[in-house]
Amino acid sequence: MYINPDHTLHALNGDQVEVKVLRPAKAGSDQGPEGQVTRIVEHKYENVVGEFKQATIGDDYIGEILLKDKKLSQYHFYVTDKGLKPLDGQVVTATVETYPSDEAPEVMTGAVTEVIGDKDEPGIDIMSVIYAHDVPHEFPKEVMEQANKIPLHVLPEEKKGRVDITDQPLVTIDAIESKDLDDAVVAWKMDNGHYHLGVHIADVSNYVQENSALDREALNRGTSVYLVDRVIPMLPHTLSNGICSLNQGEDRLALSCLMKVNKKGEVASYEIDETVIC
């Protein structure tokens, strides 16, 4: 649906809006309908990130934030004195209090809530990306408390009832620089000409129980986030890089799919076991 620039109600990119159809689509044509925004239901931007510039802007503002988001490059963000008072050149986050309007179509205002660091600090660009996309990068206290209670090595009682295949030469298939090794494989030719293929996945569920603090935080994050110089893990490092990572020479709990593959590459049979691997 095409929206004329005069009919946006100053909605920002990503806002949820209600629209009225001004002109329906033409039958038999590629031309879609034309509409007009009648209400902004939900703003996408509740916080912004950028470099603070000290300036006297009227009586109400202590400076301006140069917004990092390219979709907001046409807008000015004026900083009120209700929050923190950062130094010139610091990268900050701010809450949005007012949005563009008929009176100020290219202006947003708000208060600074956090100083990320100085614009020239190493890694500040990556931190700006993290804050701009609202990526959760610190674990709540209750999550860390649960993670810190988990042993760093597989305990003897955890091996009970599992198939011990620590004698098999498993190989992880992640890149050499990877820190969290999720899966491993092994294959060999059997006496009948078929092949044994084992695929082994770290058994995270042994340590992350359903609806625990760790589970809820992992659900909230949804995934690990890979950036240029760091990974923001879905689970704390003691799990993701430790007991749940298939590190060389360490016993680990796994879920294993053990397959017999014929000469045509077809899986002739398989079984899935809870295992101990190394």
Side-chain angles (χ1 to χ4, degrees):
M1 180 179 286
Y2 172 73
I3 309 292
N4 186 287
D6 295 332
H7 292 157
T8 64
L9 208 64
H10 305 292
L12 300 174
N13 183 69
D15 286 352
Q16 294 284 338
V17 299
E18 287 182 359
V19 295
K20 177 175 69 175
V21 178
L22 299 179
R23 176 185 52 77
K26 293 182 178 179
S29 169
D30 292 335
Q31 189 174 17
E34 181 179 348
Q36 177 179 1
V37 176
T38 57
R39 185 169 76 94
I40 298 174
V41 178
E42 184 179 351
H43 289 287
K44 174 186 176 183
Y45 294 95
E46 296 180 351
N47 302 282
V48 295
V49 177
E51 179 188 342
F52 177 75
K53 286 291 184 183
Q54 284 184 337
T56 302
I57 306 168
D59 298 328
D60 301 321
Y61 306 108
I62 60 173
E64 181 177 357
I65 294 176
L66 306 181
L67 299 174
K68 289 277 187 181
D69 195 319
K70 293 180 180 179
K71 299 284 175 59
L72 300 177
S73 60
Q74 71 190 81
Y75 297 99
H76 297 280
F77 191 99
Y78 297 146
V79 179
T80 69
D81 62 357
K82 296 178 182 177
L84 301 177
K85 296 175 176 58
L87 301 176
D88 195 71
Q90 288 186 321
V91 178
V92 301
T93 63
T95 54
V96 183
E97 295 174 5
T98 67
Y99 294 86
S101 62
D102 288 340
E103 295 75 26
E106 295 184 350
V107 173
M108 293 187 286
T109 68
V112 171
T113 52
E114 187 172 352
V115 175
I116 301 174
D118 190 270
K119 66 174 183 177
D120 296 323
E121 285 181 25
I124 198 67
D125 284 344
I126 299 297
M127 288 303 299
S128 297
V129 170
I130 292 169
Y131 276 87
H133 292 277
D134 202 23
V135 177
H137 57 284
E138 294 180 352
F139 286 99
K141 181 181 177 182
E142 61 175 344
V143 172
M144 291 307 301
E145 287 177 350
Q146 184 183 347
N148 290 335
K149 291 178 181 177
I150 295 173
L152 300 178
H153 303 284
V154 176
L155 302 177
E157 56 265 29
E158 293 179 305
K159 299 180 181 181
K160 292 179 181 178
R162 288 178 172 265
V163 180
D164 188 327
I165 52 173
T166 52
D167 60 331
Q168 294 185 11
L170 311 187
V171 180
T172 55
I173 58 174
D174 296 271
I176 191 67
E177 66 272 9
S178 297
K179 299 293 188 293
D180 51 335
L181 311 175
D182 303 316
D183 35 17
V185 297
V186 66
W188 64 76
K189 194 170 185 178
M190 302 168 67
D191 293 340
N192 63 1
H194 290 187
Y195 293 86
H196 170 92
L197 172 62
V199 178
H200 310 273
I201 311 295
D203 188 0
V204 181
S205 64
N206 186 76
Y207 303 102
V208 182
Q209 289 77 31
E210 186 175 6
N211 206 33
S212 63
L214 278 168
D215 185 43
R216 291 193 300 271
E217 182 66 16
L219 177 64
N220 178 53
R221 293 181 177 226
T223 182
S224 297
V225 178
Y226 292 79
L227 297 160
V228 174
D229 64 347
R230 73 195 72 187
V231 177
I232 300 176
M234 187 172 67
L235 296 168
H237 285 286
T238 52
L239 276 78
S240 62
N241 292 15
I243 195 65
C244 295
S245 181
L246 308 183
N247 299 332
Q248 182 175 353
E250 297 280 350
D251 284 357
R252 289 292 183 259
L253 306 182
L255 292 177
S256 300
C257 185
L258 311 174
M259 293 164 273
K260 290 183 174 61
V261 182
N262 63 26
K263 295 178 181 179
K264 296 181 179 178
E266 300 166 336
V267 177
S269 64
Y270 72 91
E271 62 180 83
I272 297 175
D273 292 320
E274 293 180 340
T275 58
V276 183
I277 65 174
C278 185

